[in-house]
Structures are given as C-alpha cells and as structure tokens.
C-alpha cells in the first residue's frame, strides 16, 4: 500500500503556452537531464518522445497532448506536453485538470504571445499553481530584463525571477537558495536583489515570518517551504525561470525547482469536484489518501488503431489497481481494470497500481469518455468536475464520403475523432441535409481531414456549409389551379382555390380546410395539403423552404371519375405557387449573435469590418486587461472564413463565437442574386 510519503514524492506539471515556445524540446531536455533518455531528441529530426505522430513530424509542431514521466532523486514527475496552436485548445486545456502546476512557456525572442495570456488566465481560473518558464535564452539580441518587466506588467508584480541568466544566457544562477552573488554576475539585476524580493513576497502570507524577517533581516529558505506553497496556491507568487532547451542552460536548475519547490498532490488547491446537478450541486473535496475509495478523472481519450480506445486519467483519491472494479459516472455496471499503463509518449508501460498524483491510462473500455469521473463506491455516482469553459467551435465544413455507401463508416470515424477533442463537433443539418464538422479554425479542420485520410483511409469531399436560407411572404394573396389531364381512358382532374397569409416569425406552417358543400371531398384534402407542402419544401423564389404562413383551402372542384390524389397534389402545389408569387415573397437569412474578444486597440477595425458585413454592434464588455468583447449581430452568410479575417485584423489575437438568433429578410440585391440561380421545376 502506498504511503503519504510516496504521494509527497510526486509532481505533476503541464507545459502550456504558444507554438514555437519550445515546450516539446524542453520536455526532452528534462527527460534527458533526469536520466530517462540516453540522447535528447530533436523536433526538426522528428525524434522526440512527444511528437511521434507522422503528422506532427511532418509539421514540426505538437498536435496532441502527450504524457511523459521521469524519476530523479526519489521524485516521480509526470509531465504533460501540450500543443501551442489556439486551434488545439481542446487538447491543451484539459491538461490543467490533471496537474498541480501549469508551466507557461514563453519564447524569449517572441515575448508575451496571446496563447500565453490565455493559459495564464485559464490556469488562474482553475486555481492551478503557476510558473513562467522563459525558454530560448541563448538567442541573439535579447533583452531579458525588459521581458521580465513586460511579464510583470501583463500578469502582475507577483511574477518574480526564481533564477537569473548569466553570461548572455549560457548559464543560470539560482536566487532562492542562494542569497548573494559569489560568482559570475547575472545579465541583469543581482542574486541578492532577486532573493530578497522572493523572500519578501513569500513571507507576506505568514505574519510570523514577516515579523522574523523584519527583526532578523532574512529567513533561511529551508524554513519557507510551507509559506512558499501557500503563496503558489494563492497566486501570491508566480516564479519566473530561465532556460535554454537547446543548450541545456537552466535545465538542471529547473529540474531542481520542480523537485524541491513545486507542490506535491497534498500541497495544491483541490480539484473542483461537485456532487449533484445544476444549482443543487455542492462542492466536495477529494482527500489525497491512497486508502480512501477511488476518485479519478478522465482528461483525455485516444483512439489508437492498435490499442483501441484508451482513457487517460488523473487519480485524485484512492488507489487504482489492475483488478479494480470501477464505475463510470452514474453508470450502474462496473468494469474491471484489465491493464493499467503509464505513458511515455506512445510507449505503454504496464504498472500494478496508481495512487493520488499519478497519471495513467486504461485501455479497451468503451464506456470511458472525456470528463468522466471514475469511482468504486455507489455513493459517488453523482460526482463530477466543474466543467471547463471551452471555446465554441464555429468554423464549419460540410463533409461527405467520396464513395457511395461509406456514409455510416464516415459517421463512425467522425464520432471517434470527436470523442478525442471536446472542441470538435459534428452535426447533421436537416435543413440543408448536410453533415457539417465544426472546429476552432482552418488548421484544426485540416488536421481532422488528414487524420481521416491517413489514419483511417477514408476519402472525403468537402465544401463550405450551405446557408440555411428560408422563404416567406409579406402579404395576403389567393391562388387557384385546375389540374386536368386526359391520356385516354380515365384522366386526372382536381381544382383548388386557396388563400395565404403571413404568420409571425418562427410560427411555422398552418393548414386550414374551409371547403363547404363537398366541393373537395374530405378524402382528397390530405392530397391538397401534400401538394402545398411539396411547394413549400421546394421554394418559390430562390429554392429555399417556405416558412411562417397560413394556407386556407376554401373552394375547389372534383370529378366523380377522374379525380385522384395525384390530381389534387398537383392542384394544391400549383395553387400555392401562384399565391406566393402574388404575396410579396422574400428570402430570409439566419442572423447570429457574435461575441468577439480582441485587444482594445483593434476595436475600431473590428467594428468597421462588421459594419461592412451588414453587422450591427450592440455593445462592448471589458474582460481582462487590454481586452474587450464586442457584442454584435450579423448575417451568418457574411461570416464565412471570418476567423482568417479576424486574425489579419488582430495579429492572431482575436477569437469569436456565434449563436443563432433569428431570421431576417435579406436586402433586395441579395434576394435578386439568390433568385437568379433558381429555376422553378414543373413536374406536372
């Protein structure tokens, strides 16, 4: 049985931040320095432990969250290497739920990028301990002192250097344990000054230490472990560390920080578990005790062609073993853990057990799904984690298989891919009869398509989704049609008089029978309604379904021999078309609510661009420092590829979400364009 000392010897760290910050190379350097690798791999050569996917090797970037681990000086460290592109937030955000510490990695040459700002904020909201790692300090022409100032301006004065670069980034000097300069000087500031700032920041959380510090002038760092962990938990201290993953400068010091200063599972803020649903949900605290009943959270799902479905989980309470009987959420049937794995990239290492603080994986259990809570006690059936707030996928692509008959296979594959990424969504749009896959951007969807073809050998065709236009009428009108057909023997005869009137937007369709005296026998009225509905489905102006109108059939004629259902279907259809053409028909377009978050200095360009897209700005909201959210409405048709336009307006720092609001008449010029492409069918 694991002891509390075993749990105290565990660290969990997620490397998050923008692309090209060097997260994967840094993970490789840490593995090498800890003795878990003989030779560190290279992103450029495709030899890293993290990026083993052929698509990752080809693109020289991480596309998936990867788990790594190493043991060094009696400490087991679980590393989570995450993608840096905003399109893959569905991979990187869940990593925050699996770790005690979020390490935001910054490229020293690029400075503070939008992804670093986002991950700092998300980590703060989820109450993770945070550390900033400035990587690539060996670059030419860097001003690291100015970068520290920018970090403090962006994230607060609580961001303080834990070490300092020296000899132009060739080495790094510790400033927490070391109290004075006694060797090569740092490139800026001084060890003594940085040490004093750290100690003063840490002791502020404990009045007794403040008094000692004021009286004695210093405090032995060895005595500051508890207040340091408290300062990290409360966000009162966000350490800054300097490294070069290429040269190895600062890597031993970072390894020392992870093992000696970062929290173990007993020292961090507890995960945000809730029991119950909705407003009745109450917070509960997982107890970091291997002897308690199990609580574990699935933060990643993979669909491996060879291993099958695999759930990657963090154990928060209790002990999971190879023969554990576990429940998935409120499922009533337990499953038995057949194999328990620890992951090193794509390599699976079977282990006998996992205790609080461990990240592990369970394979071939179909009931597992993203965000599931695993437990072994019936009373825990209604426990779940507070949901993460993911960006809404709005970048859509209509998709269909190239080969007829592969529709079900494509559907099954898409469901597997969606299960791996909470920021992918697949919808069947009934109004346009299309399957549309939604992602966070062009790169996101392009990666999905490459997986379809390369991994699953499923060839598809794509196109932009059709806009679900509608047609309606603006006035009242009447229509009449006599359908008469004689082809020898019995013929076809049916005559229909009807009137139409508009209904309020969103009312749909109403059909009324006001025929008197049996002019149209009741048994033919369903055929009349069928004809009306056929015309409505086909459209009259531009080929889009008719909505929001009432049709009243008030007269007609029949023939005792020649009247048949087909005759009244055609008569009802043609009568409706005639009426609609006289009732001032118009085309409706979907209007969506748009929320755009971007830097304040870009607001003028964004609102001007929205106006050019027939959008209407309804207001703005201040979110975080220097960022505003624009609230607007715009036609959906004007927002095709809008993320690309937003990227160009904001330097890649803008994001947006949309939600359907209502339908509205299109301008006459747009209606003329749509109508010119449509030809009314005559299938009589």
């Amino acid at each position: 049985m694991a002891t509390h000392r075993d749990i105290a010897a565990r660290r969990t760290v997620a490397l998050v931040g923008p692309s090209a910050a060097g997260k994967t190379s840094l993970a490789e350097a840490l593995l090498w320095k800890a003795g878990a690798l003989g030779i560190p791999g290279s992103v450029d050569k495709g030899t890293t432990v993290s990026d083993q996917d052929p698509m990752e090797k080809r693109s020289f970037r991480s596309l998936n969250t990867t788990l790594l681990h190493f043991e060094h000086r009696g400490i087991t460290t679980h590393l989570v290497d995450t993608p840096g592109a905003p399109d893959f937030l569905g991979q990187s955000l869940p990593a925050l739920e699996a770790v005690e510490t979020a390490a935001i990695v910054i490229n020293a040459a690029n400075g503070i990028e939008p992804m670093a700002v986002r991950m700092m904020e998300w980590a703060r909201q989820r109450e993770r301990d945070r550390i900033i790692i400035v990587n690539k300090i060996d670059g030419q022409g860097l001003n690291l002192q100015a970068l520290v100032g920018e970090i403090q301006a962006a994230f607060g004065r609580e961001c303080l250097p834990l070490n300092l670069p020296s000899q132009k980034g060739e080495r790094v000097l510790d400033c927490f344990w070391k109290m004075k300069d006694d060797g090569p000087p740092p490139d800026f500031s001084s060890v003594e000054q940085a040490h004093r700032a750290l100690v003063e920041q840490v002791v502020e959380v404990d009045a007794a230490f403040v008094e000692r510090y004021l009286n004695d002038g210093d405090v032995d760092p060895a005595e500051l472990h508890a207040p340091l962990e408290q300062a990290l938990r409360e966000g009162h201290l966000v350490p800054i560390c300097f490294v070069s993953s290429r040269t190895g400068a600062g890597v031993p010091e970072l390894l020392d920080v992870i093992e000696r200063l970062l929290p173990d599972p007993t020292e961090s803020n507890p995960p945000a578990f809730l029991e119950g649903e909705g407003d009745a949900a109450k917070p509960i605290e997982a107890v970091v005790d291997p002897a308690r009943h199990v609580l574990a959270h699935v933060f990643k799902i993979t669909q491996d062609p060879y291993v099958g479905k695999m759930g990657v989980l963090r154990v928060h309470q209790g002990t999971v073993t190879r023969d554990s009987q576990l429940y998935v959420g409120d499922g009533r049937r337990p499953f038995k853990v057949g194999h328990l794995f620890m992951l090193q990239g794509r390599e699976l290492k079977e282990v006998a057990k996992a205790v609080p603080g461990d990240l592990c994986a369970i394979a071939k259990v179909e009931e597992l799904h993203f965000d599931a809570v695993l437990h072994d006690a019936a009373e825990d059936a209604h426990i779940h984690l507070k949901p993460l707030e993911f960006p809404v996928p709005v970048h859509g692509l209509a998709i269909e298989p190239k080969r007829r008959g592969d529709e079900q296979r494509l559907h099954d594959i898409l469901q597997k891919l969606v299960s791996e990424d909470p920021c992918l969504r697949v919808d069947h749009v009934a109004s346009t009869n299309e399957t549309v896959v939604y992602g966070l951007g062009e790169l996101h969807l392009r990666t999905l398509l490459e997986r379809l073809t390369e991994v699953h050998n499923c060839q598809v065709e794509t196109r932009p989704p059709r806009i679900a236009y509608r047609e309606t009428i603006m006035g009242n009108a009447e229509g009449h049609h006599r359908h008469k057909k004689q082809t020898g023997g019995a013929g076809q005869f049916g005559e229909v008089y009807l009137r139409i009137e508009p209904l309020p937007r969103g009312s749909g369709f109403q059909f009324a029978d006001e025929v008197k005296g049996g002019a149209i026998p009741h048994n033919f009225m369903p055929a009349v309604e069928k004809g009306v509905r056929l015309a409505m489905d086909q459209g009259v102006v531009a080929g889009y379904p008719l909505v929001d109108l009432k049709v009243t059939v008030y007269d007609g004629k029949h023939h005792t021999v020649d009247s048949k259902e087909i005759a009244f279907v055609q008569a009802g259809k043609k009568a409706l078309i005639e009426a609609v053409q006289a009732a001032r028909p118009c085309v409706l377009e979907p209007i969506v609510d748009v929320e755009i978050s971007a830097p304040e200095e870009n607001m003028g360009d964004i609102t001007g661009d929205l106006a050019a897209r027939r959008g209407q700005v309804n207001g703005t909201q201040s979110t975080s420092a220097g960022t505003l959210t624009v609230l607007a409405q715009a036609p959906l048709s004007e927002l095709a590829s809008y993320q690309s336009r937003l990227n160009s307006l904001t330097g890649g720092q803008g994001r947006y979400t949309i939600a359907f609001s209502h339908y509205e008449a299109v301008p006459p010029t747009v209606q003329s364009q749509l109508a010119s492409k449509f030809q009314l069918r005559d299938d009589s």
Side-chain angles (χ1 to χ4, degrees):
M1 174 64 71
T3 65
H4 289 280
R5 180 174 294 180
D6 295 329
I7 295 169
R10 279 163 168 73
R11 307 288 182 271
T12 56
V13 181
L15 301 176
V16 298
S19 296
K23 299 183 294 298
T24 296
S25 298
L26 178 58
E28 203 76 10
L30 286 167
L31 288 170
W32 172 70
K33 194 63 186 177
L37 285 181
I39 301 175
S42 163
V43 172
D44 293 337
K45 295 178 182 178
T47 55
T48 62
V49 179
S50 288
D51 294 350
Q52 289 297 307
D53 188 301
M55 291 167 56
E56 292 178 317
K57 294 181 180 182
R58 191 168 62 241
S59 62
F60 305 107
R61 69 163 79 217
S62 297
L63 303 175
N64 307 288
T65 292
T66 305
L67 269 66
L68 310 160
H69 67 273
F70 57 81
E71 294 186 12
H72 182 248
R73 293 196 300 216
I75 302 292
T76 298
T77 298
H78 295 280
L79 277 182
V80 186
D81 182 23
T82 68
D87 286 28
F88 301 107
L89 283 168
Q91 292 280 333
S92 55
L93 275 181
L96 299 178
E97 303 291 18
V99 299
E100 268 71 55
T101 304
I104 293 84
V105 184
I106 293 175
N107 184 329
N110 296 347
I112 301 170
E113 298 177 79
M115 192 64 170
V117 176
R118 287 180 190 156
M119 297 311 296
M120 278 288 285
E121 178 60 19
W122 272 312
R124 184 192 66 78
Q125 290 176 3
R126 300 305 280 195
E127 297 185 327
R128 300 297 88 197
D129 290 22
R130 290 169 293 162
I131 181 172
I132 295 172
I133 300 175
V134 178
N135 193 13
K136 304 188 179 183
I137 61 172
D138 56 312
Q140 297 296 313
L142 300 177
N143 188 339
L144 297 178
Q145 183 174 12
L147 179 57
V148 170
E150 292 171 12
I151 290 171
Q152 291 177 336
F155 305 129
R157 305 298 297 180
E158 63 269 21
C159 300
L160 296 173
L162 205 55
N163 50 46
L164 290 170
S166 177
Q167 298 174 322
K168 296 184 178 180
E170 290 185 5
R171 61 179 296 186
V172 165
L173 307 176
D174 166 66
C175 299
F176 182 73
W177 301 98
K178 192 176 179 182
M179 302 182 190
K180 294 182 180 179
D181 295 289
D182 59 359
D187 293 338
F188 64 90
S189 186
S190 69
V191 170
E192 185 175 0
Q193 182 180 337
H195 174 80
R196 187 166 59 250
L198 283 167
V199 172
E200 288 176 356
Q201 190 75 6
V202 169
V203 299
E204 281 182 0
V205 302
D206 190 314
F209 275 108
V210 171
E211 187 174 347
R212 279 184 55 189
Y213 182 76
L214 293 174
N215 292 335
D216 301 342
D218 207 347
V219 177
D220 185 349
E223 299 181 64
L224 291 178
H225 183 83
L228 173 69
E229 298 306 331
Q230 182 180 345
L232 291 173
R233 279 195 305 273
E234 296 175 355
H236 191 69
L237 173 66
V238 179
I240 303 173
C241 295
F242 294 89
V243 301
S244 168
S245 55
R246 186 182 69 86
T247 66
V251 174
E253 288 80 4
L254 179 58
L255 194 60
D256 196 49
V257 167
I258 291 172
E259 294 168 351
R260 298 178 70 183
L261 300 182
L262 293 189
D264 66 52
T266 67
E267 295 171 324
S268 67
N269 291 315
F273 278 114
L274 300 172
E275 185 170 22
E277 303 296 333
D279 295 338
K282 296 180 180 179
I284 66 162
E285 187 169 325
V287 180
V288 185
D289 184 346
R292 300 286 289 264
H293 49 82
V294 172
L295 281 179
H297 175 247
V298 177
F299 66 94
K300 179 178 172 63
I301 292 288
T302 65
Q303 299 277 359
D304 190 279
Y306 305 104
V307 180
K309 187 174 187 178
M310 186 161 62
V312 184
L313 54 106
R314 158 70 189 255
V315 180
H316 291 284
Q317 176 179 295
T319 301
V320 178
T321 65
R322 277 181 292 198
D323 57 355
S324 292
Q325 296 274 350
L326 299 179
Y327 295 88
V328 181
D330 58 1
R332 297 186 178 182
R333 294 181 59 186
F335 69 90
K336 184 177 181 180
V337 178
H339 300 278
L340 194 62
F341 300 106
M342 195 171 288
L343 304 180
Q344 190 77 309
R346 283 202 162 186
E347 179 185 332
L348 305 180
K349 176 187 176 183
E350 190 156 3
V351 293
K353 64 181 180 181
V355 300
D358 277 336
L359 311 186
C360 57
I362 297 172
K364 298 180 180 179
V365 179
E366 285 305 312
E367 294 85 355
L368 291 180
H369 59 84
F370 172 75
D371 213 27
V373 170
L374 307 184
H375 58 93
D376 58 0
E379 63 266 25
D380 294 337
H382 299 291
I383 292 177
H384 58 92
L385 268 181
K386 180 182 177 182
L388 275 167
E389 293 185 6
F390 289 102
V392 178
V394 294
H395 196 94
L397 200 61
I399 186 169
E400 63 183 13
K402 282 187 176 179
R403 192 171 61 186
R404 293 180 66 85
D406 274 0
E407 288 79 7
Q408 186 59 46
R409 179 168 178 264
L410 173 61
H411 175 270
D412 293 342
I413 295 171
L414 287 175
Q415 292 306 312
K416 287 182 178 181
L417 293 173
V418 168
S419 73
E420 296 181 329
D421 189 339
C423 289
L424 279 174
R425 190 177 89 244
V426 175
D427 288 344
H428 179 75
V429 183
S431 57
T432 59
N433 194 28
E434 290 179 315
T435 296
V436 181
V437 57
Y438 295 93
L440 296 181
E442 294 175 7
L443 175 62
H444 200 190
L445 293 183
R446 188 165 69 245
T447 303
L448 171 79
L449 296 177
E450 289 179 6
R451 290 198 191 285
L452 277 171
T453 55
E454 295 184 18
V455 179
H456 299 280
N457 194 27
C458 183
Q459 305 300 317
V460 296
E461 293 179 343
T462 64
R463 62 179 177 275
R466 298 188 189 104
I467 302 298
Y469 292 106
R470 295 289 184 267
E471 297 178 15
T472 193
I473 56 173
M474 304 299 288
N476 299 347
E478 294 193 358
H480 159 251
H481 185 75
R482 173 185 287 186
H483 178 79
K484 186 175 181 181
K485 201 169 187 181
Q486 198 74 33
T487 56
Q492 297 178 8
F493 180 86
E495 188 169 4
V496 172
Y497 290 84
L498 54 77
R499 56 177 172 264
I500 61 175
E501 57 188 286
L503 294 176
R505 197 76 72 235
S507 299
F509 167 61
Q510 295 177 16
F511 183 83
D513 173 9
E514 294 185 2
V515 175
K516 302 290 193 297
I520 300 176
H522 288 299
N523 60 306
F524 287 128
M525 197 54 67
V528 176
E529 182 177 354
K530 180 180 179 181
V532 166
R533 288 183 178 276
L534 284 173
M536 290 179 61
D537 291 342
Q538 175 183 309
V540 175
V541 179
Y544 299 101
L546 273 155
V547 295
D548 302 335
L549 75 161
K550 179 179 180 180
V551 177
T552 303
V553 180
Y554 64 89
D555 201 0
K557 291 182 182 178
H558 76 287
H559 189 278
T560 54
V561 176
D562 291 346
S563 287
K564 299 179 178 64
E565 285 190 3
I566 185 62
F568 281 101
V569 168
Q570 291 299 322
K573 179 179 178 181
K574 296 295 182 63
L576 182 78
I577 291 172
E578 179 182 287
V580 169
Q581 289 172 335
R584 290 185 289 132
C586 72
V587 177
L588 303 173
E589 64 181 340
I591 305 296
V592 293
D593 293 319
V594 190
E595 289 191 12
I596 305 168
S597 296
E600 189 173 352
E601 60 265 24
N602 300 127
M603 285 299 119
D605 293 335
I606 289 171
T607 54
D609 184 68
L610 279 173
R613 296 170 182 268
R614 299 190 283 126
Q616 179 178 340
V617 176
N618 298 325
T620 60
Q621 293 178 348
S622 179
T623 48
S624 56
T627 301
L628 286 180
T629 296
V630 177
L631 307 177
Q633 288 189 331
L636 180 61
S637 61
E638 297 285 349
L639 297 178
S641 302
Y642 184 63
Q643 186 63 55
S644 299
R645 176 60 178 159
L646 192 57
N647 288 343
S648 67
L649 292 174
T650 65
Q653 298 187 56
R655 303 297 290 180
Y656 78 105
T657 63
I658 59 174
F660 174 77
S661 174
H662 63 281
Y663 272 94
E664 201 170 276
V666 301
T669 53
V670 176
Q671 180 158 321
S672 297
Q673 292 171 3
L674 294 171
S676 67
K677 302 173 185 177
F678 174 67
Q679 186 171 355
L680 197 61
R681 288 199 313 267
D682 184 358
D683 52 5
S684 59

